[in-house]
Structure formats: C-alpha cells, structure tokens
Amino acid sequence: MPKKENKKVNDVKAEIKKIVKKKKRKVYFGQEVQDAVVDYNSSENDSERNIIYQTRIHAAFDKLAENIINTFKFTYFDYGFEDIKHEVVAFMVVNMHKYDHTKGSKAFSYFSVVAKNYLILHNNNNYKKLKSHDKMDALDRQHRNSGFNESDYSILTDEIVEYFDSNMNTIFKKDRDLKIGYAIVDLMKAREDIENFNKKALYILIREMTDVETTHITSVVNVLKKHYKKLQNIYHKQGSIVHNFSGSFF
C-alpha cells in the first residue's frame, strides 16, 4: 500500500478513535440522571427518595449549579462560592416535584433554567439592597456631617419665618409681590395645621389668598428660595439667624 494511502487510513482511524472516545466520555447530567429524577418524583417513600437523590442525582445537581455560577459570573452575592452553590442545589431539590417529564422537556434544561432564575433573582435583589444601602449610608454621612436633626430644622424654619416677616419690605417692593410673600409666610407659620403639602395644593391656597396669577407666585417663590438657601448657610455657620438683618444677599 502506498505511503500516502497509509497516511490517509491512519488519519481516518485516529479521527474514529477521537469520536469513540468522546462518545464514551461520561455526561454528568445525562439520561441516567433524567431517569433518576423521574423515579424520585414517582416514589412516595421518603427513604427511597433520599437514596435516589444521594446516589443518582446530587452529583449532577452540584455540577450543574457550579457550571451556571461560573458561566454567568453573578457578582452581587456577599458570601462564598460554596454557600451560593449549596443554596442553588437546595432550590433545585425543593422544586424537583414541579418537573414533569411528560411535557417533553429534558431535566437538564428544566433545572438549568431553575438554577439560573434563582441566581438572577437573588443577584438583582442583592444589587438593589446594595444600592439602597449605599444611598442610606450617604444620607447618614450627610446627616452626621451636618449635625442636623428634626429639632434643628424646626428651629431653622421658625427663624426663617421670623426673618421673612421682618424683612419682606426689603426683599420685595411691589405690592403684588409683598402680598404673595406674606401669604407664603402665613402658610409657613401654619405648617403644623396643613395636612397636604404638595406643591399644587399650596399654589392653589396662595392663589386664593392673593388673587394673582400662578406665574407671579412662582417668581416670588424663586426669590424666597434663594434667600432661604443663604439663611440656611448662615444658620449652619452661626447656629442662629439675625432677624433684623436688612439688605440684599446678592
């Protein structure tokens, strides 16, 4: 036989050996595990089910959980790989009775989805908790840094009301603007008795008190907001506002 033909035959034999070797390689979640899951669900004997699970299913579930965690790289779990894997395996066991082989789906496909959904759900929930925790930490830091509490805000508001009451004539010159300004101060004084503090309701109250257009109210509110910020800074620095202060901040 010529050398070229010998080489071709040897190459073909080598390829056949590779294919046979692949076929002989044991699949970790194959028909045997499929049958074991069906047997587990069919049995009503707890001891028998435990034996089926331990000897024929557990290793496949463990490997499946490991592969899915490694493949999808879920990052928002604050505990170790083994603990996550045990949780996933436990979740698959809890849901084993829901698998119905008569519907045509393979156990491998079914439990792959079960495991993945569990991880996605908890990963997303952990992410939300993390973001929420970060926001709360930021607020706590801001709160601690400012040294401000509800009592401080109440005192600050009382002092700003007193400041506006004493200096409204300095802030505004037009009668219309003064009327709006004093209406806002009256509402701030009565804040304890006002149940609905949404913006629309307050604007309606001010409009009824002053009989002016909403655009004029907005203009006055914007000026008072600028003063409020300046007064707030003074309160932070000095711990109080000088009520007879007159003149412009700007």
Side-chain angles (χ1 to χ4, degrees):
M1 187 182 287
K3 286 184 180 179
K4 283 187 179 180
E5 287 185 17
N6 265 337
K7 188 174 182 303
K8 283 182 182 179
V9 170
N10 289 334
D11 288 344
V12 170
K13 284 180 179 178
E15 287 299 317
I16 291 170
K17 280 182 181 179
K18 284 181 185 177
I19 293 167
V20 171
K21 194 174 181 180
K22 282 182 182 178
K23 284 185 176 179
K24 285 183 178 179
R25 191 180 299 157
K26 189 174 178 64
V27 179
Y28 79 87
F29 202 127
Q31 188 61 45
E32 290 179 5
V33 182
Q34 167 84 28
D35 294 339
V37 172
V38 174
D39 290 344
Y40 179 94
N41 285 336
S42 300
S43 175
E44 294 181 1
N45 185 294
D46 288 341
S47 297
E48 184 182 22
R49 283 153 68 97
N50 285 337
I51 292 169
I52 293 170
Y53 175 72
Q54 291 297 336
T55 59
R56 299 166 60 190
I57 298 172
H58 174 73
F61 273 16
D62 193 75
K63 188 65 177 176
L64 177 62
E66 180 182 313
N67 287 347
I68 287 178
I69 295 167
N70 286 332
T71 300
F72 292 96
K73 307 294 183 187
F74 295 97
T75 54
Y76 294 104
F77 284 88
D78 54 0
Y79 40 93
F81 178 87
E82 286 299 320
D83 291 330
I84 298 169
K85 187 172 70 168
H86 290 322
E87 280 192 11
V88 176
V89 170
F91 189 71
M92 286 192 284
V93 173
V94 167
N95 286 277
M96 193 147 31
H97 69 283
K98 296 179 182 177
Y99 172 68
D100 185 355
H101 68 285
T102 63
K103 291 183 177 178
S105 66
K106 291 290 186 181
F108 174 77
S109 300
Y110 177 82
F111 289 106
S112 293
V113 172
V114 168
K116 192 158 55 173
N117 286 347
Y118 175 86
L119 287 163
I120 290 169
L121 176 65
H122 285 267
N123 189 68
N124 290 346
N125 286 341
N126 287 340
Y127 175 74
K128 287 176 185 176
K129 286 178 187 175
L130 180 66
K131 295 299 287 182
S132 175
H133 187 265
D134 286 347
K135 285 180 183 177
M136 290 304 296
D137 278 353
L139 288 172
D140 285 344
R141 283 196 298 273
Q142 186 179 357
H143 192 70
R144 288 194 298 270
N145 291 339
S146 68
F148 236 46
N149 55 42
E150 286 184 18
S151 175
D152 289 320
Y153 276 112
S154 180
I155 295 168
L156 169 62
T157 304
D158 286 340
E159 293 205 13
I160 286 177
V161 166
E162 192 172 341
Y163 169 84
F164 282 151
D165 220 4
S166 303
N167 294 281
M168 197 65 71
N169 285 309
T170 305
I171 299 170
F172 299 108
K173 299 301 180 184
K174 292 181 181 178
D175 288 341
R176 182 195 64 207
D177 294 342
L178 282 168
K179 189 161 58 170
I180 297 168
Y182 281 122
I184 292 169
V185 168
D186 285 342
L187 288 175
M188 291 176 73
K189 288 177 182 177
R191 63 189 182 277
E192 301 284 338
D193 302 318
I194 299 174
E195 292 182 5
N196 192 349
F197 260 99
N198 73 72
K199 187 176 178 181
K200 185 177 180 182
L202 290 177
Y203 265 68
I204 290 170
L205 277 171
I206 296 166
R207 202 165 59 209
E208 287 178 353
M209 292 165 72
T210 59
D211 194 27
V212 298
E213 305 231 345
T214 302
T215 51
H216 297 314
I217 298 171
T218 302
S219 177
V220 170
V221 167
N222 286 339
V223 172
L224 293 179
K225 278 168 72 176
K226 289 178 181 177
H227 279 266
Y228 186 97
K229 287 180 181 177
K230 293 285 184 180
L231 292 166
Q232 192 175 33
N233 288 335
I234 290 171
Y235 185 88
H236 275 301
K237 289 176 183 176
Q238 300 178 2
S240 181
I241 297 168
V242 181
H243 302 303
N244 62 0
F245 176 92
S246 61
S248 174
F249 287 118
F250 311 106

